């Protein structure tokens, strides 16, 4: 019935399968939307959304997209672009879930999160990509079909290889090209 736009804060978007397994789909950041899956599928609710800390959300009534006015037509075009972007992201995420090993799935999840919500910080005299403490290792495990323990082992291996650094609940990407190589490995 509504599409939600996140103004401030973070929202975890999860999918609960028929057998009760919860998979973290993504973390919505300010400026992103959620809830459009239900609009596309004609369902009342499709995303499972949980706020992370204080948030501010704007709700758009889907009926407003269909009232025939010029403003509604403009809003519908804008929302169509949002739907297309989210659908593409969902397809990419689903493909990554079925990659054959944790290294591949985790590298894809980490790269996607860096693109969606990463920032840059200064580390040992140079600027590096950073993923803050909003995303936990348990979250990464849920996104990559792995346990928190196995995610931690993989991250520690990447740290030894100089691909990332783990500092105060942050993941710092020291060598993005190497991480992208992991994501492309056969």
């Amino acid at each position: 019935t509504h599409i939600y736009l996140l103004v401030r804060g973070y929202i975890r978007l999860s999918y609960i399968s028929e057998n009760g397994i919860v998979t973290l789909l993504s973390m919505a950041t300010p400026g992103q939307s959620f809830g459009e899956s239900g609009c596309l599928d004609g369902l009342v609710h499709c995303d499972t959304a949980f706020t992370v800390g204080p948030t501010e959300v704007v709700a758009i009534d889907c009926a407003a997209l269909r009232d025939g006015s010029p403003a509604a037509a403009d809003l519908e075009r804008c929302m169509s672009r949002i739907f297309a972007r989210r659908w593409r992201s969902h397809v990419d995420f689903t493909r990554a879930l079925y990659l054959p090993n944790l290294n591949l799935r985790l590298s894809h999840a980490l790269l996607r999160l860096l693109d969606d919500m990463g920032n840059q910080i200064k580390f040992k005299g140079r600027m590096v990509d950073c993923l803050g403490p909003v995303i936990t290792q348990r979250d990464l495990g849920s996104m990559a079909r792995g346990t928190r323990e196995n995610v931690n082992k993989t991250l520690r291996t990447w740290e030894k290889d100089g691909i990332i650094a783990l500092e105060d609940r942050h993941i710092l990407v020291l060598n993005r090209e190497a991480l992208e190589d992991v994501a492309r490995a056969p």
Side-chain angles (χ1 to χ4, degrees), residues 81-166:
R81 285 192 292 274
I82 289 172
F83 291 174
R85 249 192 324 264
R86 290 287 290 173
W87 182 255
R88 190 176 324 120
S89 174
H90 179 72
V91 168
D92 290 343
F93 169 77
T94 303
R95 283 184 184 145
L97 270 180
Y98 292 97
L99 292 170
N101 64 57
L102 181 61
N103 272 351
L104 290 170
R105 294 188 303 270
L106 183 58
S107 59
H108 276 266
L110 192 54
L111 287 166
R112 190 164 61 98
L113 287 168
L114 284 167
D115 290 342
D116 287 348
M117 61 185 300
N119 58 13
Q120 288 210 323
I121 64 167
K122 195 169 197 168
F123 179 74
K124 295 187 178 179
R126 67 184 181 113
M127 297 302 288
V128 298
D129 289 334
C130 172
L131 190 59
V134 172
I135 296 290
T136 66
Q137 290 184 11
R138 188 169 311 282
D139 292 335
L140 288 171
S142 179
M143 293 181 88
R145 284 190 0 212
T147 65
R148 188 207 59 80
E149 294 80 10
N150 287 339
V151 166
N152 183 273
K153 286 177 189 175
T154 302
L155 292 175
R156 294 290 176 190
T157 299
W158 292 349
E159 186 175 36
K160 286 178 189 164
D161 294 342
I163 297 172
I164 66 167
L166 300 172

Side-chain angles (χ1 to χ4, degrees), residues 32-44:
Q32 291 184 329
S33 68
F34 62 99
E36 61 273 0
S37 296
C39 298
L40 290 172
D41 296 336
L43 303 173
V44 178

